[in-house]
Every structure is written in C-alpha cells, then in structure tokens.
Amino acid sequence: MPPADLQADCAQCFGLCCVALPFAASNDFAVDKAAGTPCASLQADFRCGIHARLREKGFRGCTVFDCFGAGQKVSQHTFGGRDWRRHPETARQMFAVFPVMRQLHELLAYVTEALDRPECRPAHAGLRTARAELERLTLSPADVLAELDTEAVRQEVNALLLRAGELVRATVPGRKKNHRGADLFGARLRNARLGGACLRGACLIAADLSGADLRAADVIGADFRDADLSGADLTGAVFLTQAQVNAARGDARTRLPDGLARPAHWQD
C-alpha cells in the first residue's frame, strides 16, 4: 500500500478534481465540462452528489481517476486550508497547481513502490535521492509549482523507474515480451504468456487478457480501459495502480498485487 499521504483523502480536499480538470462527453463522461468550472454534481461541502451512482450516471471516468493525494496536499498545505469558494482569489492558481502536484505525487508513488521492492535494491540509492527531491518540490510555494517543468522532472525520474522495472522483470526466467508503447487496442491476448513483459505505455483498451500471465510485468502508464482481466494473474506486476485496475474488467479469479482492491463493478 502507498503511504497515506499518497492516497486520496477527499474529505481534506476542496473538490479540485471536480473543478480544475476538464472532461468531454464520451463513454467516460456524460457531459462536457471546461477546466476551472465546477461539476454540476459538486456540493457545497466539496463532496460529489452522485458518488455512489457515478457509473450508472455516465461518469465512469471519475471512478478511475486517482490524484495520489495531490488534492489534499494542495488544499491543506499549498493553500493552507483556504478554499477557492471563500477565497476566490486563490482559484485560478489553485487549479493550475493541482495537475502539477498530481504529477509529482504520481511519481512519488512509483518511486516509493520501487523502494519497497527488494528486487530494486541496486537502484535504491538513486531512487532515494529522487524521492527526497520530489518531496522537496511538493512543498514549494504555489507560484513555483505553477511554473514547474514537470516534463523535465518526469524524464529524470523515469530513467530510474525504467531501471527498477527492468530489475523486477529480470526475476522472471526466460525471454520476455517487449510491448512498450504498443497499440494493442482490442488485442486477443487470452492466456498470453506475458510474465515479466514490458507493457509501459501500451494501449490495452478493450484487449482480451483473460487468463493471461502478467506476473512481474512493468505496466506503468498502460491503458487498461475495458480490458478483460478475468482470471489473469497480475501478481507482482510493477507500477500497477488502483486506477488502472478500476478501469479494467475482471472477476473473482483475477489475481492482483498486494495492496490493490478488487473493484465493486467486477464480476463475482
């Protein structure tokens, strides 16, 4: 499990994902919404009025979003508990800082996972340095965060994460598949042997991965929307997030890494 400060605590957030981010009418969202505009379902207490019915109301995208704790960090630390409704002068900057903080917290979550894995020990020194720098950046003032070059930060950290992923994948004997960045939309991968595979950034939307062996696969950034993971084994998969799991379909036979929960919408 990631540390508590890298898990979303909506009770300590000012509904930032419901305001700062845009979304377009699609299979994931029932309507269009511009960035900086509160969702119509956002209540006065910053809670979602249809939280228990998001999927049936057409807001599946909300159920798979994860801020990695960035919402409460921006709300309670960066802006010291001053919300954008009572302090409208903070709104524009707060909404600009939120996606930056989310990227930093996402990277922190990946780095923390790698540091918790004994397979990644040869890369731990660099990862510890990266974690300290990321934590320092998250404590920066709002004006500094708003101007941060997140792409440069991501590229630097990604080199360490790539090494960590390789170390985990190396624990699987034999030749491993490399599908990095591959377009596997709707691919028929039923019972595929993908143990230790590289699936970084792969498009696996609507792919049939039922019964597939994904043990110790590197899945950072892989798009699992509507992928069928029924009976698949993801034990030890590296950098698999709850959001990716929530976006997929699975069943009671699907094996997940420790710390990830089986979504309520999955079949029994």
PDB file of all heavy atoms in Angstrom, residues 203-239:
ATOM      1  N   CYS A 203      -1.219   0.601 -25.170  1.00  0.00           N
ATOM      2  CA  CYS A 203      -2.670   0.796 -25.274  1.00  0.00           C
ATOM      3  C   CYS A 203      -3.318  -0.572 -25.264  1.00  0.00           C
ATOM      4  O   CYS A 203      -3.224  -1.329 -26.234  1.00  0.00           O
ATOM      5  CB  CYS A 203      -3.031   1.543 -26.563  1.00  0.00           C
ATOM      6  SG  CYS A 203      -4.813   1.652 -26.846  1.00  0.00           S
ATOM      7  N   LEU A 204      -3.961  -0.901 -24.163  1.00  0.00           N
ATOM      8  CA  LEU A 204      -4.616  -2.199 -23.998  1.00  0.00           C
ATOM      9  C   LEU A 204      -6.122  -2.042 -23.872  1.00  0.00           C
ATOM     10  O   LEU A 204      -6.808  -2.905 -23.315  1.00  0.00           O
ATOM     11  CB  LEU A 204      -4.047  -2.904 -22.758  1.00  0.00           C
ATOM     12  CG  LEU A 204      -2.583  -3.352 -22.896  1.00  0.00           C
ATOM     13  CD1 LEU A 204      -1.968  -3.595 -21.525  1.00  0.00           C
ATOM     14  CD2 LEU A 204      -2.489  -4.602 -23.753  1.00  0.00           C
ATOM     15  N   ILE A 205      -6.645  -0.959 -24.407  1.00  0.00           N
ATOM     16  CA  ILE A 205      -8.077  -0.697 -24.335  1.00  0.00           C
ATOM     17  C   ILE A 205      -8.847  -1.851 -24.979  1.00  0.00           C
ATOM     18  O   ILE A 205      -8.560  -2.246 -26.113  1.00  0.00           O
ATOM     19  CB  ILE A 205      -8.442   0.626 -25.034  1.00  0.00           C
ATOM     20  CG1 ILE A 205      -7.757   1.809 -24.327  1.00  0.00           C
ATOM     21  CG2 ILE A 205      -9.948   0.837 -25.070  1.00  0.00           C
ATOM     22  CD1 ILE A 205      -7.946   3.139 -25.039  1.00  0.00           C
ATOM     23  N   ALA A 206      -9.794  -2.387 -24.234  1.00  0.00           N
ATOM     24  CA  ALA A 206     -10.676  -3.462 -24.708  1.00  0.00           C
ATOM     25  C   ALA A 206      -9.927  -4.726 -25.120  1.00  0.00           C
ATOM     26  O   ALA A 206     -10.469  -5.582 -25.820  1.00  0.00           O
ATOM     27  CB  ALA A 206     -11.546  -2.974 -25.863  1.00  0.00           C
ATOM     28  N   ALA A 207      -8.682  -4.867 -24.690  1.00  0.00           N
ATOM     29  CA  ALA A 207      -7.928  -6.080 -25.009  1.00  0.00           C
ATOM     30  C   ALA A 207      -8.455  -7.261 -24.204  1.00  0.00           C
ATOM     31  O   ALA A 207      -8.911  -7.103 -23.072  1.00  0.00           O
ATOM     32  CB  ALA A 207      -6.443  -5.867 -24.717  1.00  0.00           C
ATOM     33  N   ASP A 208      -8.389  -8.443 -24.793  1.00  0.00           N
ATOM     34  CA  ASP A 208      -8.787  -9.659 -24.094  1.00  0.00           C
ATOM     35  C   ASP A 208      -7.543 -10.252 -23.447  1.00  0.00           C
ATOM     36  O   ASP A 208      -6.730 -10.907 -24.103  1.00  0.00           O
ATOM     37  CB  ASP A 208      -9.404 -10.664 -25.065  1.00  0.00           C
ATOM     38  CG  ASP A 208      -9.857 -11.949 -24.369  1.00  0.00           C
ATOM     39  OD1 ASP A 208      -9.739 -12.026 -23.120  1.00  0.00           O
ATOM     40  OD2 ASP A 208     -10.327 -12.871 -25.067  1.00  0.00           O
ATOM     41  N   LEU A 209      -7.390 -10.003 -22.147  1.00  0.00           N
ATOM     42  CA  LEU A 209      -6.270 -10.527 -21.373  1.00  0.00           C
ATOM     43  C   LEU A 209      -6.741 -11.587 -20.384  1.00  0.00           C
ATOM     44  O   LEU A 209      -6.059 -11.877 -19.403  1.00  0.00           O
ATOM     45  CB  LEU A 209      -5.579  -9.382 -20.621  1.00  0.00           C
ATOM     46  CG  LEU A 209      -4.751  -8.414 -21.488  1.00  0.00           C
ATOM     47  CD1 LEU A 209      -4.517  -7.101 -20.755  1.00  0.00           C
ATOM     48  CD2 LEU A 209      -3.430  -9.050 -21.876  1.00  0.00           C
ATOM     49  N   SER A 210      -7.899 -12.153 -20.667  1.00  0.00           N
ATOM     50  CA  SER A 210      -8.439 -13.158 -19.752  1.00  0.00           C
ATOM     51  C   SER A 210      -7.486 -14.347 -19.669  1.00  0.00           C
ATOM     52  O   SER A 210      -6.988 -14.847 -20.676  1.00  0.00           O
ATOM     53  CB  SER A 210      -9.820 -13.613 -20.220  1.00  0.00           C
ATOM     54  OG  SER A 210      -9.773 -14.115 -21.545  1.00  0.00           O
ATOM     55  N   GLY A 211      -7.191 -14.734 -18.440  1.00  0.00           N
ATOM     56  CA  GLY A 211      -6.311 -15.864 -18.221  1.00  0.00           C
ATOM     57  C   GLY A 211      -4.847 -15.588 -18.510  1.00  0.00           C
ATOM     58  O   GLY A 211      -4.019 -16.504 -18.443  1.00  0.00           O
ATOM     59  N   ALA A 212      -4.495 -14.359 -18.813  1.00  0.00           N
ATOM     60  CA  ALA A 212      -3.110 -14.035 -19.164  1.00  0.00           C
ATOM     61  C   ALA A 212      -2.199 -14.050 -17.946  1.00  0.00           C
ATOM     62  O   ALA A 212      -2.624 -13.748 -16.824  1.00  0.00           O
ATOM     63  CB  ALA A 212      -3.049 -12.667 -19.841  1.00  0.00           C
ATOM     64  N   ASP A 213      -0.942 -14.394 -18.183  1.00  0.00           N
ATOM     65  CA  ASP A 213       0.083 -14.357 -17.142  1.00  0.00           C
ATOM     66  C   ASP A 213       0.797 -13.017 -17.242  1.00  0.00           C
ATOM     67  O   ASP A 213       1.547 -12.764 -18.187  1.00  0.00           O
ATOM     68  CB  ASP A 213       1.071 -15.502 -17.354  1.00  0.00           C
ATOM     69  CG  ASP A 213       2.207 -15.492 -16.330  1.00  0.00           C
ATOM     70  OD1 ASP A 213       2.187 -14.639 -15.415  1.00  0.00           O
ATOM     71  OD2 ASP A 213       3.120 -16.328 -16.461  1.00  0.00           O
ATOM     72  N   LEU A 214       0.549 -12.125 -16.270  1.00  0.00           N
ATOM     73  CA  LEU A 214       1.154 -10.794 -16.251  1.00  0.00           C
ATOM     74  C   LEU A 214       2.023 -10.618 -15.013  1.00  0.00           C
ATOM     75  O   LEU A 214       2.290  -9.497 -14.594  1.00  0.00           O
ATOM     76  CB  LEU A 214       0.056  -9.720 -16.283  1.00  0.00           C
ATOM     77  CG  LEU A 214      -0.729  -9.614 -17.593  1.00  0.00           C
ATOM     78  CD1 LEU A 214      -2.085  -8.971 -17.351  1.00  0.00           C
ATOM     79  CD2 LEU A 214       0.049  -8.814 -18.609  1.00  0.00           C
ATOM     80  N   ARG A 215       2.491 -11.724 -14.471  1.00  0.00           N
ATOM     81  CA  ARG A 215       3.291 -11.648 -13.261  1.00  0.00           C
ATOM     82  C   ARG A 215       4.581 -10.871 -13.506  1.00  0.00           C
ATOM     83  O   ARG A 215       5.272 -11.086 -14.492  1.00  0.00           O
ATOM     84  CB  ARG A 215       3.621 -13.053 -12.753  1.00  0.00           C
ATOM     85  CG  ARG A 215       2.429 -13.802 -12.170  1.00  0.00           C
ATOM     86  CD  ARG A 215       2.798 -15.221 -11.797  1.00  0.00           C
ATOM     87  NE  ARG A 215       3.133 -16.004 -12.999  1.00  0.00           N
ATOM     88  CZ  ARG A 215       3.617 -17.234 -12.960  1.00  0.00           C
ATOM     89  NH1 ARG A 215       3.827 -17.824 -11.789  1.00  0.00           N
ATOM     90  NH2 ARG A 215       3.884 -17.884 -14.081  1.00  0.00           N
ATOM     91  N   ALA A 216       4.859  -9.922 -12.592  1.00  0.00           N
ATOM     92  CA  ALA A 216       6.085  -9.124 -12.640  1.00  0.00           C
ATOM     93  C   ALA A 216       6.227  -8.314 -13.927  1.00  0.00           C
ATOM     94  O   ALA A 216       7.331  -7.909 -14.296  1.00  0.00           O
ATOM     95  CB  ALA A 216       7.319 -10.000 -12.434  1.00  0.00           C
ATOM     96  N   ALA A 217       5.120  -8.046 -14.612  1.00  0.00           N
ATOM     97  CA  ALA A 217       5.174  -7.204 -15.812  1.00  0.00           C
ATOM     98  C   ALA A 217       5.258  -5.737 -15.400  1.00  0.00           C
ATOM     99  O   ALA A 217       4.714  -5.337 -14.368  1.00  0.00           O
ATOM    100  CB  ALA A 217       3.946  -7.437 -16.671  1.00  0.00           C
ATOM    101  N   ASP A 218       5.958  -4.939 -16.207  1.00  0.00           N
ATOM    102  CA  ASP A 218       6.039  -3.495 -15.978  1.00  0.00           C
ATOM    103  C   ASP A 218       4.898  -2.859 -16.750  1.00  0.00           C
ATOM    104  O   ASP A 218       4.890  -2.849 -17.978  1.00  0.00           O
ATOM    105  CB  ASP A 218       7.383  -2.962 -16.469  1.00  0.00           C
ATOM    106  CG  ASP A 218       7.572  -1.465 -16.172  1.00  0.00           C
ATOM    107  OD1 ASP A 218       6.575  -0.791 -15.863  1.00  0.00           O
ATOM    108  OD2 ASP A 218       8.714  -0.988 -16.265  1.00  0.00           O
ATOM    109  N   VAL A 219       3.911  -2.308 -16.020  1.00  0.00           N
ATOM    110  CA  VAL A 219       2.704  -1.782 -16.665  1.00  0.00           C
ATOM    111  C   VAL A 219       2.537  -0.281 -16.427  1.00  0.00           C
ATOM    112  O   VAL A 219       1.437   0.254 -16.546  1.00  0.00           O
ATOM    113  CB  VAL A 219       1.446  -2.537 -16.185  1.00  0.00           C
ATOM    114  CG1 VAL A 219       1.531  -4.005 -16.569  1.00  0.00           C
ATOM    115  CG2 VAL A 219       1.265  -2.387 -14.679  1.00  0.00           C
ATOM    116  N   ILE A 220       3.605   0.404 -16.122  1.00  0.00           N
ATOM    117  CA  ILE A 220       3.495   1.832 -15.848  1.00  0.00           C
ATOM    118  C   ILE A 220       2.916   2.552 -17.076  1.00  0.00           C
ATOM    119  O   ILE A 220       3.357   2.374 -18.204  1.00  0.00           O
ATOM    120  CB  ILE A 220       4.874   2.423 -15.465  1.00  0.00           C
ATOM    121  CG1 ILE A 220       4.720   3.834 -14.891  1.00  0.00           C
ATOM    122  CG2 ILE A 220       5.823   2.437 -16.649  1.00  0.00           C
ATOM    123  CD1 ILE A 220       6.007   4.368 -14.257  1.00  0.00           C
ATOM    124  N   GLY A 221       1.856   3.314 -16.852  1.00  0.00           N
ATOM    125  CA  GLY A 221       1.243   4.084 -17.924  1.00  0.00           C
ATOM    126  C   GLY A 221       0.420   3.287 -18.915  1.00  0.00           C
ATOM    127  O   GLY A 221      -0.114   3.855 -19.875  1.00  0.00           O
ATOM    128  N   ALA A 222       0.272   1.980 -18.736  1.00  0.00           N
ATOM    129  CA  ALA A 222      -0.525   1.166 -19.656  1.00  0.00           C
ATOM    130  C   ALA A 222      -2.002   1.496 -19.490  1.00  0.00           C
ATOM    131  O   ALA A 222      -2.487   1.718 -18.378  1.00  0.00           O
ATOM    132  CB  ALA A 222      -0.291  -0.319 -19.404  1.00  0.00           C
ATOM    133  N   ASP A 223      -2.720   1.550 -20.600  1.00  0.00           N
ATOM    134  CA  ASP A 223      -4.141   1.897 -20.590  1.00  0.00           C
ATOM    135  C   ASP A 223      -4.972   0.617 -20.603  1.00  0.00           C
ATOM    136  O   ASP A 223      -5.053  -0.068 -21.626  1.00  0.00           O
ATOM    137  CB  ASP A 223      -4.477   2.763 -21.803  1.00  0.00           C
ATOM    138  CG  ASP A 223      -5.847   3.419 -21.705  1.00  0.00           C
ATOM    139  OD1 ASP A 223      -6.689   2.915 -20.930  1.00  0.00           O
ATOM    140  OD2 ASP A 223      -6.080   4.433 -22.392  1.00  0.00           O
ATOM    141  N   PHE A 224      -5.584   0.301 -19.461  1.00  0.00           N
ATOM    142  CA  PHE A 224      -6.350  -0.933 -19.306  1.00  0.00           C
ATOM    143  C   PHE A 224      -7.860  -0.707 -19.405  1.00  0.00           C
ATOM    144  O   PHE A 224      -8.637  -1.581 -19.015  1.00  0.00           O
ATOM    145  CB  PHE A 224      -6.053  -1.573 -17.946  1.00  0.00           C
ATOM    146  CG  PHE A 224      -4.734  -2.304 -17.880  1.00  0.00           C
ATOM    147  CD1 PHE A 224      -3.621  -1.700 -17.346  1.00  0.00           C
ATOM    148  CD2 PHE A 224      -4.624  -3.597 -18.352  1.00  0.00           C
ATOM    149  CE1 PHE A 224      -2.408  -2.362 -17.269  1.00  0.00           C
ATOM    150  CE2 PHE A 224      -3.419  -4.286 -18.286  1.00  0.00           C
ATOM    151  CZ  PHE A 224      -2.300  -3.664 -17.743  1.00  0.00           C
ATOM    152  N   ARG A 225      -8.284   0.415 -19.940  1.00  0.00           N
ATOM    153  CA  ARG A 225      -9.719   0.677 -20.006  1.00  0.00           C
ATOM    154  C   ARG A 225     -10.457  -0.432 -20.763  1.00  0.00           C
ATOM    155  O   ARG A 225     -10.142  -0.741 -21.898  1.00  0.00           O
ATOM    156  CB  ARG A 225      -9.997   2.024 -20.671  1.00  0.00           C
ATOM    157  CG  ARG A 225      -9.772   3.223 -19.761  1.00  0.00           C
ATOM    158  CD  ARG A 225     -10.026   4.523 -20.493  1.00  0.00           C
ATOM    159  NE  ARG A 225      -9.026   4.743 -21.540  1.00  0.00           N
ATOM    160  CZ  ARG A 225      -9.117   5.708 -22.469  1.00  0.00           C
ATOM    161  NH1 ARG A 225     -10.179   6.488 -22.495  1.00  0.00           N
ATOM    162  NH2 ARG A 225      -8.154   5.850 -23.365  1.00  0.00           N
ATOM    163  N   ASP A 226     -11.431  -1.017 -20.083  1.00  0.00           N
ATOM    164  CA  ASP A 226     -12.270  -2.080 -20.644  1.00  0.00           C
ATOM    165  C   ASP A 226     -11.497  -3.330 -21.034  1.00  0.00           C
ATOM    166  O   ASP A 226     -12.036  -4.210 -21.717  1.00  0.00           O
ATOM    167  CB  ASP A 226     -13.074  -1.575 -21.852  1.00  0.00           C
ATOM    168  CG  ASP A 226     -14.271  -0.744 -21.433  1.00  0.00           C
ATOM    169  OD1 ASP A 226     -14.799  -0.986 -20.332  1.00  0.00           O
ATOM    170  OD2 ASP A 226     -14.672   0.165 -22.189  1.00  0.00           O
ATOM    171  N   ALA A 227     -10.245  -3.436 -20.611  1.00  0.00           N
ATOM    172  CA  ALA A 227      -9.507  -4.678 -20.850  1.00  0.00           C
ATOM    173  C   ALA A 227     -10.090  -5.778 -19.979  1.00  0.00           C
ATOM    174  O   ALA A 227     -10.476  -5.534 -18.835  1.00  0.00           O
ATOM    175  CB  ALA A 227      -8.029  -4.485 -20.540  1.00  0.00           C
ATOM    176  N   ASP A 228     -10.168  -6.973 -20.514  1.00  0.00           N
ATOM    177  CA  ASP A 228     -10.720  -8.105 -19.768  1.00  0.00           C
ATOM    178  C   ASP A 228      -9.589  -8.821 -19.045  1.00  0.00           C
ATOM    179  O   ASP A 228      -8.759  -9.498 -19.661  1.00  0.00           O
ATOM    180  CB  ASP A 228     -11.425  -9.061 -20.724  1.00  0.00           C
ATOM    181  CG  ASP A 228     -12.154 -10.180 -19.996  1.00  0.00           C
ATOM    182  OD1 ASP A 228     -12.064 -10.247 -18.745  1.00  0.00           O
ATOM    183  OD2 ASP A 228     -12.808 -10.995 -20.668  1.00  0.00           O
ATOM    184  N   LEU A 229      -9.577  -8.679 -17.724  1.00  0.00           N
ATOM    185  CA  LEU A 229      -8.561  -9.324 -16.895  1.00  0.00           C
ATOM    186  C   LEU A 229      -9.126 -10.524 -16.142  1.00  0.00           C
ATOM    187  O   LEU A 229      -8.543 -10.974 -15.163  1.00  0.00           O
ATOM    188  CB  LEU A 229      -7.991  -8.312 -15.895  1.00  0.00           C
ATOM    189  CG  LEU A 229      -7.219  -7.119 -16.480  1.00  0.00           C
ATOM    190  CD1 LEU A 229      -6.806  -6.156 -15.367  1.00  0.00           C
ATOM    191  CD2 LEU A 229      -6.001  -7.589 -17.258  1.00  0.00           C
ATOM    192  N   SER A 230     -10.220 -11.039 -16.599  1.00  0.00           N
ATOM    193  CA  SER A 230     -10.840 -12.185 -15.928  1.00  0.00           C
ATOM    194  C   SER A 230      -9.848 -13.348 -15.867  1.00  0.00           C
ATOM    195  O   SER A 230      -9.312 -13.775 -16.889  1.00  0.00           O
ATOM    196  CB  SER A 230     -12.094 -12.635 -16.681  1.00  0.00           C
ATOM    197  OG  SER A 230     -13.042 -11.592 -16.754  1.00  0.00           O
ATOM    198  N   GLY A 231      -9.608 -13.819 -14.661  1.00  0.00           N
ATOM    199  CA  GLY A 231      -8.712 -14.949 -14.489  1.00  0.00           C
ATOM    200  C   GLY A 231      -7.247 -14.656 -14.742  1.00  0.00           C
ATOM    201  O   GLY A 231      -6.412 -15.562 -14.703  1.00  0.00           O
ATOM    202  N   ALA A 232      -6.893 -13.399 -15.001  1.00  0.00           N
ATOM    203  CA  ALA A 232      -5.495 -13.043 -15.255  1.00  0.00           C
ATOM    204  C   ALA A 232      -4.709 -13.004 -13.952  1.00  0.00           C
ATOM    205  O   ALA A 232      -5.273 -12.771 -12.877  1.00  0.00           O
ATOM    206  CB  ALA A 232      -5.416 -11.688 -15.954  1.00  0.00           C
ATOM    207  N   ASP A 233      -3.405 -13.224 -14.054  1.00  0.00           N
ATOM    208  CA  ASP A 233      -2.528 -13.200 -12.886  1.00  0.00           C
ATOM    209  C   ASP A 233      -1.598 -11.995 -12.993  1.00  0.00           C
ATOM    210  O   ASP A 233      -0.692 -11.973 -13.825  1.00  0.00           O
ATOM    211  CB  ASP A 233      -1.717 -14.491 -12.816  1.00  0.00           C
ATOM    212  CG  ASP A 233      -0.926 -14.613 -11.508  1.00  0.00           C
ATOM    213  OD1 ASP A 233      -0.878 -13.624 -10.750  1.00  0.00           O
ATOM    214  OD2 ASP A 233      -0.356 -15.694 -11.264  1.00  0.00           O
ATOM    215  N   LEU A 234      -1.841 -10.985 -12.138  1.00  0.00           N
ATOM    216  CA  LEU A 234      -1.017  -9.787 -12.119  1.00  0.00           C
ATOM    217  C   LEU A 234      -0.144  -9.736 -10.868  1.00  0.00           C
ATOM    218  O   LEU A 234       0.322  -8.676 -10.466  1.00  0.00           O
ATOM    219  CB  LEU A 234      -1.882  -8.526 -12.200  1.00  0.00           C
ATOM    220  CG  LEU A 234      -2.609  -8.308 -13.533  1.00  0.00           C
ATOM    221  CD1 LEU A 234      -4.056  -8.749 -13.404  1.00  0.00           C
ATOM    222  CD2 LEU A 234      -2.547  -6.871 -13.984  1.00  0.00           C
ATOM    223  N   THR A 235       0.085 -10.881 -10.264  1.00  0.00           N
ATOM    224  CA  THR A 235       0.904 -10.946  -9.058  1.00  0.00           C
ATOM    225  C   THR A 235       2.274 -10.312  -9.313  1.00  0.00           C
ATOM    226  O   THR A 235       2.952 -10.662 -10.278  1.00  0.00           O
ATOM    227  CB  THR A 235       1.108 -12.402  -8.620  1.00  0.00           C
ATOM    228  OG1 THR A 235      -0.172 -13.036  -8.482  1.00  0.00           O
ATOM    229  CG2 THR A 235       1.841 -12.462  -7.292  1.00  0.00           C
ATOM    230  N   GLY A 236       2.634  -9.383  -8.473  1.00  0.00           N
ATOM    231  CA  GLY A 236       3.948  -8.769  -8.591  1.00  0.00           C
ATOM    232  C   GLY A 236       4.090  -7.774  -9.720  1.00  0.00           C
ATOM    233  O   GLY A 236       5.198  -7.259  -9.950  1.00  0.00           O
ATOM    234  N   ALA A 237       3.032  -7.487 -10.467  1.00  0.00           N
ATOM    235  CA  ALA A 237       3.122  -6.501 -11.549  1.00  0.00           C
ATOM    236  C   ALA A 237       3.638  -5.190 -10.975  1.00  0.00           C
ATOM    237  O   ALA A 237       3.176  -4.733  -9.923  1.00  0.00           O
ATOM    238  CB  ALA A 237       1.766  -6.307 -12.208  1.00  0.00           C
ATOM    239  N   VAL A 238       4.594  -4.598 -11.637  1.00  0.00           N
ATOM    240  CA  VAL A 238       5.235  -3.403 -11.103  1.00  0.00           C
ATOM    241  C   VAL A 238       4.589  -2.140 -11.667  1.00  0.00           C
ATOM    242  O   VAL A 238       4.275  -2.056 -12.845  1.00  0.00           O
ATOM    243  CB  VAL A 238       6.759  -3.424 -11.384  1.00  0.00           C
ATOM    244  CG1 VAL A 238       7.061  -3.398 -12.871  1.00  0.00           C
ATOM    245  CG2 VAL A 238       7.463  -2.274 -10.683  1.00  0.00           C
ATOM    246  N   PHE A 239       4.321  -1.200 -10.759  1.00  0.00           N
ATOM    247  CA  PHE A 239       3.725   0.102 -11.065  1.00  0.00           C
ATOM    248  C   PHE A 239       2.265   0.008 -11.522  1.00  0.00           C
ATOM    249  O   PHE A 239       1.758   0.905 -12.192  1.00  0.00           O
ATOM    250  CB  PHE A 239       4.554   0.864 -12.105  1.00  0.00           C
ATOM    251  CG  PHE A 239       6.001   1.029 -11.719  1.00  0.00           C
ATOM    252  CD1 PHE A 239       7.025   0.736 -12.611  1.00  0.00           C
ATOM    253  CD2 PHE A 239       6.345   1.463 -10.447  1.00  0.00           C
ATOM    254  CE1 PHE A 239       8.365   0.884 -12.244  1.00  0.00           C
ATOM    255  CE2 PHE A 239       7.680   1.614 -10.074  1.00  0.00           C
ATOM    256  CZ  PHE A 239       8.685   1.322 -10.975  1.00  0.00           C
TER     257      PHE A 239
END
